[in-house]
Short mmCIF file of all heavy atoms in Angstrom, two decimals:
data_model
loop_
_atom_site.label_atom_id
_atom_site.label_comp_id
_atom_site.label_asym_id
_atom_site.label_seq_id
_atom_site.Cartn_x
_atom_site.Cartn_y
_atom_site.Cartn_z
N SER A 215 4.28 -10.88 -9.22
CA SER A 215 5.32 -10.96 -10.25
C SER A 215 4.99 -12.07 -11.25
O SER A 215 5.56 -12.14 -12.33
CB SER A 215 6.70 -11.18 -9.63
OG SER A 215 6.66 -12.26 -8.74
N GLU A 216 4.03 -12.92 -10.88
CA GLU A 216 3.61 -13.96 -11.83
C GLU A 216 2.62 -13.42 -12.86
O GLU A 216 2.47 -14.01 -13.94
CB GLU A 216 3.00 -15.14 -11.07
CG GLU A 216 4.08 -16.04 -10.49
CD GLU A 216 3.67 -16.73 -9.20
OE1 GLU A 216 2.49 -16.69 -8.83
OE2 GLU A 216 4.55 -17.32 -8.56
N ALA A 217 1.91 -12.34 -12.55
CA ALA A 217 0.91 -11.80 -13.48
C ALA A 217 0.80 -10.28 -13.37
O ALA A 217 -0.22 -9.76 -12.92
CB ALA A 217 -0.45 -12.47 -13.21
N PRO A 218 1.84 -9.56 -13.82
CA PRO A 218 1.81 -8.10 -13.65
C PRO A 218 1.27 -7.34 -14.87
O PRO A 218 1.05 -6.13 -14.80
CB PRO A 218 3.29 -7.77 -13.48
CG PRO A 218 4.01 -8.82 -14.29
CD PRO A 218 3.14 -10.06 -14.27
N ILE A 219 1.02 -8.04 -15.99
CA ILE A 219 0.87 -7.33 -17.27
C ILE A 219 -0.41 -6.50 -17.34
O ILE A 219 -0.38 -5.33 -17.74
CB ILE A 219 0.93 -8.34 -18.45
CG1 ILE A 219 2.30 -9.02 -18.43
CG2 ILE A 219 0.71 -7.64 -19.78
CD1 ILE A 219 2.45 -10.13 -19.43
N THR A 220 -1.55 -7.09 -16.96
CA THR A 220 -2.80 -6.34 -17.14
C THR A 220 -2.82 -5.08 -16.29
O THR A 220 -3.31 -4.04 -16.75
CB THR A 220 -4.06 -7.19 -16.82
OG1 THR A 220 -3.83 -7.92 -15.64
CG2 THR A 220 -4.42 -8.12 -17.93
N LEU A 221 -2.29 -5.13 -15.08
CA LEU A 221 -2.33 -3.93 -14.24
C LEU A 221 -1.42 -2.83 -14.78
O LEU A 221 -1.73 -1.65 -14.68
CB LEU A 221 -2.00 -4.28 -12.79
CG LEU A 221 -3.21 -4.75 -11.99
CD1 LEU A 221 -2.80 -5.42 -10.69
CD2 LEU A 221 -4.16 -3.59 -11.69
N LEU A 222 -0.28 -3.22 -15.35
CA LEU A 222 0.60 -2.22 -15.95
C LEU A 222 -0.12 -1.50 -17.10
O LEU A 222 -0.15 -0.28 -17.18
CB LEU A 222 1.88 -2.88 -16.47
CG LEU A 222 2.90 -3.27 -15.40
CD1 LEU A 222 3.93 -4.24 -15.97
CD2 LEU A 222 3.60 -2.03 -14.82
N LYS A 223 -0.71 -2.30 -17.99
CA LYS A 223 -1.41 -1.71 -19.14
C LYS A 223 -2.63 -0.91 -18.67
O LYS A 223 -3.00 0.11 -19.27
CB LYS A 223 -1.86 -2.82 -20.10
CG LYS A 223 -0.70 -3.55 -20.75
CD LYS A 223 -0.11 -2.72 -21.86
CE LYS A 223 0.89 -3.54 -22.66
NZ LYS A 223 1.52 -2.77 -23.74
N PHE A 224 -3.26 -1.39 -17.62
CA PHE A 224 -4.44 -0.69 -17.11
C PHE A 224 -4.05 0.69 -16.57
O PHE A 224 -4.77 1.67 -16.78
CB PHE A 224 -5.10 -1.52 -16.00
CG PHE A 224 -6.19 -0.78 -15.30
CD1 PHE A 224 -7.45 -0.65 -15.88
CD2 PHE A 224 -5.97 -0.18 -14.07
CE1 PHE A 224 -8.46 0.06 -15.24
CE2 PHE A 224 -6.97 0.53 -13.43
CZ PHE A 224 -8.22 0.65 -14.02
N ALA A 225 -2.91 0.77 -15.88
CA ALA A 225 -2.49 2.07 -15.31
C ALA A 225 -2.28 3.09 -16.43
O ALA A 225 -2.70 4.25 -16.33
CB ALA A 225 -1.23 1.89 -14.49
N GLU A 226 -1.66 2.65 -17.51
CA GLU A 226 -1.45 3.56 -18.64
C GLU A 226 -2.81 4.03 -19.19
O GLU A 226 -3.02 5.22 -19.44
CB GLU A 226 -0.66 2.84 -19.74
CG GLU A 226 -0.36 3.72 -20.94
CD GLU A 226 0.28 2.92 -22.08
OE1 GLU A 226 -0.14 1.77 -22.33
OE2 GLU A 226 1.20 3.45 -22.71
N MET A 227 -3.72 3.08 -19.32
CA MET A 227 -5.05 3.42 -19.84
C MET A 227 -5.77 4.41 -18.91
O MET A 227 -6.40 5.37 -19.38
CB MET A 227 -5.89 2.14 -19.95
CG MET A 227 -7.20 2.32 -20.65
SD MET A 227 -8.40 1.08 -20.11
CE MET A 227 -9.00 1.83 -18.62
N ALA A 228 -5.63 4.22 -17.61
CA ALA A 228 -6.33 5.09 -16.65
C ALA A 228 -5.80 6.52 -16.73
O ALA A 228 -6.56 7.48 -16.63
CB ALA A 228 -6.18 4.52 -15.24
N ILE A 229 -4.50 6.65 -16.91
CA ILE A 229 -3.92 8.00 -17.02
C ILE A 229 -4.40 8.63 -18.33
O ILE A 229 -4.76 9.82 -18.37
CB ILE A 229 -2.37 7.94 -16.94
CG1 ILE A 229 -1.91 7.36 -15.60
CG2 ILE A 229 -1.75 9.32 -17.20
CD1 ILE A 229 -2.05 8.22 -14.36
N GLU A 230 -4.49 7.84 -19.38
CA GLU A 230 -5.01 8.37 -20.65
C GLU A 230 -6.47 8.82 -20.52
O GLU A 230 -6.93 9.67 -21.26
CB GLU A 230 -4.89 7.31 -21.76
CG GLU A 230 -3.46 7.11 -22.23
CD GLU A 230 -3.27 5.85 -23.09
OE1 GLU A 230 -4.26 5.14 -23.38
OE2 GLU A 230 -2.10 5.56 -23.43
N CYS A 231 -7.17 8.22 -19.56
CA CYS A 231 -8.58 8.61 -19.34
C CYS A 231 -8.70 9.90 -18.54
O CYS A 231 -9.82 10.34 -18.26
CB CYS A 231 -9.31 7.50 -18.58
SG CYS A 231 -9.66 6.05 -19.58
#
Side-chain angles (χ1 to χ4, degrees):
S215 51
E216 280 150 10
I219 299 174
T220 43
L221 274 166
L222 284 164
K223 294 283 190 182
F224 172 78
E226 181 187 40
M227 188 206 83
I229 299 287
E230 286 167 3
C231 287

